[in-house]
Amino acid sequence: MSFDTRIQMNGLPISVYAPETVGCVVVDSSGGCAATTSSGGLMNKKCCRIGDSPLIGAGTYACDLCAVSCTGEGEAIIRATLARDVAAIMEYKGLALQKAINYAIKERLDGGKAGAITVSKDGEVAYGFNSNGMFRGCATEDGFMEVGIWE
Ligand code: ASP
């Protein structure tokens, strides 16, 4: 697969991000939430680096409120415990999912570039990112489908 290296995101060719990250969040009809994230990491990563994706609470998290899968600069995501923070903000601040992800992205990343896909136990779907774009899609059981890259 080849990507146009002239297209950039966060000052890097979009190919740095495009081919390797797959996150998924789901909710079932009884409100059960699950999340998973797969990543090849970032280009030029250090040997043996472990990113945020396999770290529960950092890049991936699900509980009885929501499911969250993150992408972007793993070190910033880990420092922020970004995925868990979305759930904590919902629980402790009483915010709805979209407001919780907006808050986490704005307040917790400390300059890092990242984003997340999320779904709540009630089926609310929300995205948040502070990068120029984030590849994403959504499908529901009644046939609704959408994809997006930009804001
Ligand atoms: N978050 C990943 C990492 O830092 C990169 C990605 O797949 O978005 O390893």
Side-chain angles (χ1 to χ4, degrees):
M1 197 181 302
S2 79
F3 289 86
D4 187 340
T5 55
R6 291 168 302 176
I7 302 172
Q8 301 218 327
M9 187 165 81
N10 305 324
L12 295 169
I14 211 159
S15 55
V16 171
Y17 298 93
E20 294 178 344
T21 309
V22 180
C24 181
V25 291
V26 294
V27 59
D28 68 17
S29 56
S30 61
C33 297
T36 187
T37 313
S38 170
S39 173
L42 297 177
M43 187 177 275
N44 297 325
K45 61 185 177 286
K46 278 190 177 172
C47 180
C48 302
R49 169 190 183 263
I50 297 174
D52 59 294
S53 305
L55 301 180
I56 301 306
T60 308
Y61 188 72
C63 62
D64 55 0
L65 285 175
C66 64
V68 183
S69 173
C70 301
T71 184
E73 294 174 4
E75 286 70 10
I77 295 168
I78 293 167
R79 284 194 299 272
T81 56
L82 189 66
R84 166 61 192 153
D85 248 43
V86 174
I89 290 164
M90 287 182 80
E91 186 173 355
Y92 300 128
K93 283 179 89 70
L95 296 182
L97 186 62
Q98 185 66 63
K99 289 196 169 159
I101 182 66
N102 291 350
Y103 184 91
I105 294 282
K106 185 161 179 263
E107 301 295 334
R108 300 286 291 139
L109 279 171
D110 198 23
K113 295 289 184 192
I117 56 170
T118 65
V119 67
S120 77
K121 69 176 173 39
D122 302 318
E124 179 188 356
V125 173
Y127 313 107
F129 51 93
N130 64 1
S131 50
N132 292 337
M134 182 178 75
F135 295 92
R136 60 194 186 274
C138 171
T140 66
E141 68 179 341
D142 56 13
F144 172 81
M145 283 194 236
E146 72 175 4
V147 293
I149 299 176
W150 316 117
E151 198 58 63

